[in-house]
Amino acid sequence: TAGWRGFGKPAFPEQGWIVKDGWLTHVAKGGGGDIITDRLFTDFELRFEWKISPGGNSGVKYFIDEARKAAIGHEYQVIDDAAHPDAKIGPKRQTAGLYDAMPAQSPRVKPAGEINESAIIVRGDSVEHWLNGDCVLKYRIGSPELAAAKAASKFKNEPKWGTRFPTPILLQDHSDAVSFRNI
């Protein structure tokens, strides 16, 4: 857990998150809250493996600001597309999409319980989401496409959403079991 702490907290949560067999796992209904990196990043290439529980929902967030008091930011969606009700709403809420804003294009997602390999790459204003070896989403900070996606999303009234600034990386506690490794 070195390098990680609770969102809005000085230390790593005492419950909810465990490390076992090389996996950092949030236990279903374990509490603990979201966790973030101690460091802030501007340009970055984040690679990680993950597996979601059947019916589970989580995410990896970036461009978040603890001053907001809530972990609102850009989210690489990690979800059981086949069974979670939020994924049934549509592709903007499915795996590898920019949650509630932009869908992934032709994602080859492995089902719940299987290991997926993902990446988030931020270089300047360019952002990419990768899933299992494929770039499935590209967008630019400040672009008309991102502005339109924001306007049609639940983030339309969030002033910093859609902007770029130094950010920690966040692993989401969505009350479901999810595991990450090789981050």
Side-chain angles (χ1 to χ4, degrees), residues 120-168:
I120 301 166
I121 301 172
V122 176
R123 289 191 187 101
D125 288 338
S126 174
V127 180
E128 297 177 356
H129 285 190
W130 289 72
L131 178 65
N132 296 319
D134 298 326
C135 183
V136 295
L137 175 63
K138 290 182 182 182
Y139 67 92
R140 292 194 68 75
I141 301 297
S143 70
E145 294 80 13
L146 184 60
K150 176 183 179 179
S153 78
K154 66 193 255 178
F155 306 111
K156 63 181 169 256
N157 296 320
E158 291 294 336
K160 283 183 86 175
W161 197 98
T163 64
R164 182 177 182 269
F165 51 89
T167 180

Side-chain angles (χ1 to χ4, degrees), residues 1-178:
T1 62
W4 295 91
R5 63 180 176 81
F7 179 82
K9 299 188 167 66
F12 194 83
E14 293 183 13
Q15 65 183 32
W17 292 91
I18 61 169
V19 176
K20 184 177 179 186
D21 298 328
W23 290 93
L24 175 58
T25 297
H26 181 265
V27 180
K29 299 183 182 10
D34 300 331
I35 59 173
I36 63 171
T37 56
D38 289 335
R39 292 182 48 210
L40 299 180
F41 302 90
T42 50
D43 286 357
F44 62 89
E45 186 170 319
L46 176 69
R47 296 188 178 279
F48 57 99
E49 294 176 324
W50 58 273
K51 56 184 175 180
I52 192 76
S53 60
N57 184 357
S58 186
V60 177
K61 295 184 181 184
Y62 53 101
F63 300 142
I64 59 165
D65 182 353
E66 284 183 288
R68 285 184 173 157
K69 308 278 190 261
I72 297 168
H74 292 211
E75 178 180 348
Y76 181 113
Q77 180 72 311
V78 170
I79 194 166
D80 179 356
D81 289 341
H84 194 280
D86 206 33
K88 302 290 186 191
I89 291 172
K92 289 194 252 178
R93 293 192 174 194
Q94 293 175 355
T95 299
L98 176 59
Y99 176 73
D100 202 51
M102 300 176 116
Q105 301 299 310
S106 304
R108 293 182 304 115
V109 63
K110 295 178 184 175
E114 292 189 24
I115 300 168
N116 286 277
E117 297 177 17
S118 294
I120 301 166
I121 301 172
V122 176
R123 289 191 187 101
D125 288 338
S126 174
V127 180
E128 297 177 356
H129 285 190
W130 289 72
L131 178 65
N132 296 319
D134 298 326
C135 183
V136 295
L137 175 63
K138 290 182 182 182
Y139 67 92
R140 292 194 68 75
I141 301 297
S143 70
E145 294 80 13
L146 184 60
K150 176 183 179 179
S153 78
K154 66 193 255 178
F155 306 111
K156 63 181 169 256
N157 296 320
E158 291 294 336
K160 283 183 86 175
W161 197 98
T163 64
R164 182 177 182 269
F165 51 89
T167 180
I169 304 300
L170 180 144
L171 303 181
Q172 187 181 40
D173 169 356
H174 207 285
S175 297
D176 297 325
V178 62

